[in-house]
Every structure is written in structure tokens, then in C-alpha cells.
Amino acid sequence: MKFLRYFPLILTTAALLSLGSCKQDLGQDPPFDYPDEGSSGVQLPDPLYHLACDDDLFLDGTLAGEMKTFTGESPMFVDGKSGKAYQNVDGQALILTPDAASTTALKSLGSYSIFMWIKFDGTNKNAAGLFSIGNKTIEVADVAFFLNNGNTTTPSEFFFKGFMQATGASGKPDAWFDAGDDAKIQNMAGVWAHVGVTYDAGTSIITLYHNGGAVCDRVLKDGAFGPMTFDEVSGICLGAFPSQVGLGSGAGWTAEASFYTGAMDEIYLYDQVLTPAQVTALYEQAK
């Protein structure tokens, strides 16, 4: 009977000891490395690069490199989706020069995902560069993701478009992606939008995203495009095309290219395909 009388006290004591053990585990040195999760509880992989843009051009990720503005001037920052955001202007861009080890990793990128928050000023431009992996031996880029105004009479309508060329692959396959009205987003000017693209090397499917949801997808080269490998990576630029900032060749393309003008925030590059749930989780983090 005495045991039954004290049984609740024994349970309470055991529970407190268990909690104390958990606290010790959470405070251990080194701390336990819990997986990164979005607000929905969906696990997100580690990015190759994450540019947070909070009053500094600091990088967070698994690769290294030097980040600076194209003109060498101090970057401008404005209120962002999460803290501050980088403000790009005409004639300006961010340039990331990867170190040797990072360049080697980027050359065998395979699949990829690129995401960012943008607040475009709505200037009527033919093609405004958002994110590119440069290659000085080709006209456009290893990978280029940009905004294109497909209707000059309606400046508020913009298409997400892109280009990719696997220069390290046999035959050097290349493809433009985007395509028709399903890639068009209305009312892009002056509002924060989460935009991005995923490419699955196993299926050769590229998918464009806007505000956490898929806009459209394309199967490249009838499913035979394959992994993205490059013979050269001259750098990564944000807010421009490689040929505009000395990271690519091709004067012909320069005539079509424009600098992106507006804010950019929370920029991510992954070497894998984010699932639709992970894309939504990434969007929800700073929604």
C-alpha cells in the first residue's frame, strides 16, 4: 500500500529526471546538429550557398567564395522579407567568385534548385537577369534564370525564363526553358515575390515556382538532357547576365540582356531538387 501511495511521486521524479537529461543533451558541447526544418516541419537540405543580405553580403552554406558588387561600390540595403534585402540598380550586380574547391563542386552540379525573394521595380525590360552561373567560353551561361517582359504593351506581365547548357557533357546540350503563357506572372511590379526553379537530372524536368507553388514544368530534350556538368565556372552573378559583368562571352546576347532593378533577399542555391513540400516550406520561412 505504501508503494501505491508514493507511486505518483515516483513517476513525477522520474519525469523530472528525464527532462533534465534532455536539457543536458540540448546543451551538450558540441551541440547536437538537428536538421533544418521549415515552418511546416518539412526538413530542408543544406544549401550550397545561402545569401541572407542582412546589411552585409555574408554567405552561409557548404561552399566558400568571395562576394562583392560588380562596380566595387558598397552594396545598398533596404527593408526585406527577412531583415534587410540587397537593392540592385541598373549597371550593378552581385558577383560571387567561388574558391577552387567550390568551383570544382559547381562543375559537377547535376541537379539544382535556385530560389530567392525579389521585389522588382517593374521597369519594362526585355530580359532582367536574376541568377546566373557564368562560363567565359559560351554566349549566355551555364545556367541563367531571369525575368522577361513578353508583352511590351503590358509592363505588369512578366515571364520567368531561363537557359542552361551542360558544357561538360557529351554534345554540350543546351535548352531555353520557359515557354508560353503558363510561365507568365501578373502584377510583378513593386511586390515581394518568391521565385525559383528546380531541375531534376534524372528526369530532365525543369519546374518554375512562384510564391511556393509550381507555375509550369518542361521536359528538356525529351527527357535526355541529363546532369548539369560544366567545363568552366567563371563565377555566379545576381542581378545581371554573365556577359554584362565579365563572366561570359557573347556580345550578341548583351544586346538582349538587362540588369535587374529591385530588391533581392534570401537567395538559395542547392545541388539537388527540392520537393514541392520543401519549396513551400522555404517560402513559408519568410512569407
Side-chain angles (χ1 to χ4, degrees):
M1 295 296 293
K2 286 183 178 180
F3 176 81
L4 293 176
R5 179 185 305 172
Y6 291 109
F7 186 66
L9 178 61
I10 294 171
L11 286 178
T12 301
T13 303
L16 290 172
L17 288 173
S18 176
L19 286 173
S21 176
C22 289
K23 288 181 180 179
Q24 290 174 2
D25 176 64
L26 291 172
Q28 69 181 2
D29 187 17
F32 183 76
D33 187 16
Y34 290 96
D36 183 20
E37 294 185 351
S39 59
S40 62
V42 176
Q43 182 176 337
L44 292 168
D46 291 332
L48 289 183
Y49 285 116
H50 168 213
L51 184 62
C53 302
D54 286 335
D55 287 322
D56 195 1
L57 296 180
F58 69 86
L59 297 168
D60 177 24
T62 59
L63 300 184
E66 179 188 12
M67 177 66 79
K68 62 182 181 180
T69 62
F70 169 52
T71 61
E73 298 175 2
S74 297
M76 296 185 295
F77 295 94
V78 295
D79 290 338
K81 285 299 295 183
S82 177
K84 293 294 184 179
Y86 167 70
Q87 180 74 25
N88 204 59
V89 297
D90 199 26
Q92 187 60 282
L94 293 181
I95 305 297
L96 168 59
T97 304
D99 65 7
S102 300
T103 299
T104 299
L106 287 169
K107 285 181 177 180
S108 57
L109 190 61
S111 300
Y112 67 84
S113 298
I114 301 166
F115 284 91
M116 64 183 69
W117 283 93
I118 63 171
K119 191 175 183 180
F120 183 45
D121 70 1
T123 302
N124 192 350
K125 296 181 176 182
N126 192 34
L130 293 175
F131 185 107
S132 297
I133 300 176
N135 185 330
K136 290 184 178 180
T137 69
I138 60 177
E139 185 177 39
V140 184
D142 288 331
V143 175
F145 178 47
F146 59 96
L147 283 176
N148 174 254
N149 189 346
N151 185 349
T152 56
T153 63
T154 311
S156 64
E157 296 179 349
F158 285 88
F159 293 85
F160 294 119
K161 291 192 176 183
F163 173 85
M164 49 196 279
Q165 181 169 359
T167 58
S170 176
K172 296 187 177 182
D174 65 81
W176 292 94
F177 55 87
D178 98 14
D181 286 348
D182 55 352
K184 183 166 59 179
I185 305 297
Q186 300 281 352
N187 303 319
M188 285 290 296
V191 297
W192 279 107
H194 191 243
V195 299
V197 57
T198 65
Y199 173 68
D200 187 334
T203 61
S204 298
I205 293 177
I206 193 145
T207 305
L208 303 176
Y209 285 88
H210 175 247
N211 286 348
V215 175
C216 63
D217 56 49
R218 303 283 181 265
V219 180
L220 303 183
K221 300 294 183 184
D222 295 322
F225 198 101
M228 295 302 297
T229 59
F230 314 120
D231 52 17
E232 180 177 322
V233 171
S234 55
I236 293 174
C237 63
L238 297 107
F241 290 90
S243 58
Q244 295 178 280
V245 295
L247 298 179
S249 67
W253 173 244
T254 304
E256 304 295 327
S258 300
F259 288 91
Y260 167 79
T261 49
M264 313 177 82
D265 200 6
E266 295 298 325
I267 302 156
Y268 286 88
L269 170 64
Y270 296 90
D271 61 347
Q272 58 187 283
V273 182
L274 295 190
T275 66
Q278 288 172 328
V279 174
T280 299
L282 190 63
Y283 165 66
E284 293 287 345
Q285 281 186 344
K287 179 180 175 182

